[in-house]
Amino acid sequence: MAKQISKLAGPAAAIHDQKLQRGEGGELHQTASGSTDVLTTAQGGPVSDDQNSLRIGARGPTMLEDFHFREKIFHFDHERIPERVVHARGYGAHGYFETYESLARYTRADIFQRAGEKTPAFVRFSTVAGNKGSADLARDVRGFAVKLYTQEGNWDIVGNNMPVFFIQDAIKFPDLIHAAKAEPNSDFPQAQTAHDNFWDFISLTPESMHMIMWAMSDRAIPRSLRFMEGFGVHTFRLLNAKDESTFVKFLWKPKLGLQSVAWNEAVKINGADPDFHRRDLWDAIHAGNFPEWELQLQLFDQDFADGFDFDILDPTKIIPEEVLPPIAVGRLVLDRMPDNFFAETEQVAFMTQNVPPGVDFSNDPLLQGRNFSYLDTQIKRLGSTNFTHIPINAPKCPFHTFQQDGHMAMRNPVGRANYQPNSWDEGPRESPQKGFRSFAEAEAGPKARLRSESFADHYSQARQFYISQHPVEQGHIASALTFELSKVQTPVIRERIVSHLLNIDDALARKVADALGLKAMPKPADAAVPTRTDLAASDKLSILKNGPGRFEGRKLGMLVTDGTDAALLDALKRGLTKAGAKFEIIAPKVGGAKADDGSWIDAQQMIAGAPSVLYDAVALLPAKPAMADLLKESTARDFVADAFAHCKFIGFVEAATPLLDKAGIVEDEAVIALASAKDVAGFITRLGELRFWAREPKVKLG
Ligand code: HDE
């Protein structure tokens, strides 16, 4: 009977046979990797057939005895681990930190002792509110978590791309996050704060107002993870060899400058490429364009802290860079993507309490609470106290503990001594000289649940942030508030937010109230401390005032057809490469098009798959004979109309004029004619401005 049954049946059999046959031919082999390795079970047993489970007869029941099938399915069933409760969606990369010069004066941390020293690093960027599968361009804070594998153990600077936070005490974190994430009864909206619960909580939490200004600014919709700043947020301490303390704030400054997208653009990017940020990082690193940040420190002593306008322990406050200029102490370069996303990016465990000797905590109540949370959350996610045995989390310096056993223990002590002190002359010993020492701060006071009076000013720095913005950015903040509050269905919540805005900036409050169609202006919210109007604007808080002034690291989308001017295209390609920029060719068909000189232009995208939101600027290079077909493509019209509406620079050849007309474009100085290769240099220089915001009032995006 068995002989009559084909061992392999169905389509899988055909593939299997084909692969086996071709394998015998010498070019292709059975495994996807192309290796000659024999497939095995996790126990190492060779597998003869991975296409069919073991059964009795061709149409009979599957047998429990099929240990390969059972092991395969069992393992698959357990592939998922709990996603992070916040910052679930993230993307990481490896790199290094290079120290500029010795900081021994301030800290005894080994990483800061020698100029030119390189320390391995792993960075994970993330959004906060969305689940693991959410889209990259959500309006949200971005996590900026850095793990430095120092010679004295791992140092994690678990920061964000905004220097302040919503709350002042960690005890409010679960409430904030519950309110921000999907509502519990409906389980929506996903990755959006534009809903009642979030704004209800915010409207009842005045301390969040400064952070709300940041979250409603363009900082919340970065163009690339490479173009955003990072901040340690809290005040930390540095301790030198004499245990003298200097307060410190950590700032990461991107070498390629700051850049964000427009909200309407973000919404469209999420549809066109929900992986926009991770793809951008992947592409840049694979192309050898390694993103880089400078680590800058704001250093200050107790006298500065005592004299500063706000409490340096309050995480809803910044110290403006104009008040306390930061010093550059090193650079962080990301030069390698993980080999495996799960093993590295998903399993990496950042913890605020990972600090080396010479770095210490302050009493910031948010930081103190985080120091509990991060260790606790790793048990839930990674399932064992031995999560430090996972390579991405293991220190890269020698380390010796007496910890043993537990689930998945990979490293186990050898020898007899698993305690100390012991009489066997075995095992590590503590070292008062080398070991971590806390700053011996004198603490006293009643045991009570208190919020310091010095934390009570909730509006002054919110106002300072707002007045520091470029008028275009101020407009975006008003639009973002209007959009978010327009999704709030309970009118009183909208009114409450406007009543807070009245304490920040009267014109902003009125603009939002008007845009929301509020029937009457509410009274300003009761403020514990009146808003200060004497704080000077800080240009460093603006993105537009800190743009790169060059197109390096950005991408031009070039629309071509059959008959495109090859010389012009070539000049554009050369000019962009010289400027350190990238380009992508978009054609009616992804296979490409034939240029006017008969050469073939390879395309990377077809028009319908590459809306202009994926690019920083566009060049329209079609040829006249192809226009009739191109004009029929509504995606070609959208390509142009969106580029214009998002205030992008548009280069065009004369043949493209009917397309500009069809998209309703009224030419301005950022719609630039490219008559020949001579015009390319000027065009690329203009691209360095990134956007032509002067157009915005004409293309109101809401
Ligand atoms: Fe976090 N946060 N957080 N957070 N946080 C986590 O730890 C928490 C806060 C930040 O890429 C969790 O491993 C509390 C501020 C980043 O893996 C958790 C409070 C800042 C990441 C946690 C805060 C951050 C996290 C979830 C209020 C900026 C992602 C998974 C006191 C300075 C790290 C995890 C990564 C992740 C707790 C507030 C940044 C639950 C209790 C402020 C970048 O432990």
Side-chain angles (χ1 to χ4, degrees), residues 1-9 52 55-60:
M1 185 65 184
K3 270 190 186 155
Q4 290 166 341
I5 301 166
S6 156
K7 188 167 156 280
L8 298 170
N52 302 287
R55 62 180 71 99
I56 301 169
R59 302 176 61 250

Side-chain angles (χ1 to χ4, degrees), residues 30-61:
Q30 189 173 352
T31 60
S33 64
S35 87
T36 51
D37 295 346
V38 171
L39 179 73
T40 69
T41 64
Q43 306 286 345
V47 171
S48 61
D49 179 353
D50 193 39
Q51 319 302 323
N52 302 287
S53 50
L54 187 66
R55 62 180 71 99
I56 301 169
R59 302 176 61 250

Side-chain angles (χ1 to χ4, degrees), residues 84-87 124 126 143-145 158-160 165 170 173 232-234 348 350 366 370 373-374 377-378:
R84 288 164 175 81
V85 63
V86 281
H87 297 266
R124 184 175 177 274
S126 48
F144 193 125
V158 197
N160 278 345
F165 203 61
F173 193 62
V233 175
H234 317 280
V348 66
F350 292 96
L366 207 61
R370 291 178 75 197
S373 181
Y374 288 71
T377 206
Q378 309 312 341

Side-chain angles (χ1 to χ4, degrees), residues 91-94 226 277-291 333-341 344-345 582:
Y91 211 52
H94 294 273
R226 301 176 292 135
H277 279 158
R278 48 176 68 186
R279 193 186 306 281
D280 171 85
L281 191 65
W282 170 277
D283 286 349
I285 292 178
H286 279 280
N289 298 324
F290 302 139
V333 179
L334 298 182
D335 60 1
R336 184 166 63 87
M337 292 309 300
D339 292 329
N340 181 279
F341 175 85
E344 295 157 82
T345 308
K582 294 269 145 209

Side-chain angles (χ1 to χ4, degrees), residues 272-430:
D273 185 4
D275 306 307
F276 188 70
H277 279 158
R278 48 176 68 186
R279 193 186 306 281
D280 171 85
L281 191 65
W282 170 277
D283 286 349
I285 292 178
H286 279 280
N289 298 324
F290 302 139
E292 196 174 316
W293 286 262
E294 190 160 68
L295 177 62
Q296 300 187 355
L297 308 182
Q298 283 183 303
L299 295 165
F300 56 100
D301 57 15
Q302 190 65 54
D303 283 349
F304 175 93
D306 294 341
F308 183 57
D309 293 322
F310 302 97
D311 195 328
I312 55 110
L313 298 182
D314 176 354
T316 67
K317 304 296 186 298
I318 58 158
I319 305 175
E321 291 183 40
E322 288 82 355
V323 174
L324 182 62
I327 57 161
V329 299
R331 65 188 190 120
L332 172 73
V333 179
L334 298 182
D335 60 1
R336 184 166 63 87
M337 292 309 300
D339 292 329
N340 181 279
F341 175 85
F342 179 84
E344 295 157 82
T345 308
E346 191 59 12
Q347 292 198 117
V348 66
F350 292 96
M351 297 191 287
T352 47
Q353 67 272 34
N354 282 354
V355 289
V359 179
D360 200 1
F361 312 110
S362 71
N363 285 346
D364 176 340
L366 207 61
L367 177 59
Q368 297 277 322
R370 291 178 75 197
N371 285 346
F372 163 73
S373 181
Y374 288 71
L375 178 61
D376 190 48
T377 206
Q378 309 312 341
I379 295 293
K380 174 71 184 171
R381 282 195 358 94
L382 299 168
S384 162
T385 50
N386 291 318
F387 67 87
T388 54
H389 296 199
I390 301 171
I392 193 71
N393 295 324
K396 295 192 196 295
C397 62
F399 57 99
H400 315 275
T401 77
F402 287 108
Q403 294 162 13
Q404 66 173 34
D405 304 350
H407 287 291
M408 310 292 168
M410 300 292 157
R411 280 187 312 261
N412 297 296
V414 285
R416 177 175 185 179
N418 56 356
Y419 59 94
Q420 68 109 344
N422 66 60
S423 309
W424 320 124
D425 208 15
E426 275 184 18
R429 292 284 184 276
E430 71 254 24

Side-chain angles (χ1 to χ4, degrees), residues 457-461 463 502-504 527 529-534:
D457 181 342
H458 302 318
Y459 300 107
S460 300
Q461 282 207 345
R463 176 179 183 280
L502 281 166
N503 289 338
I504 296 172
V529 172
T531 313
R532 288 177 55 169
T533 53
D534 60 333

Side-chain angles (χ1 to χ4, degrees), residues 534-546:
D534 60 333
L535 302 179
S538 161
D539 283 348
K540 296 282 183 187
L541 299 178
S542 156
I543 294 175
L544 293 187
K545 295 178 194 170
N546 293 286

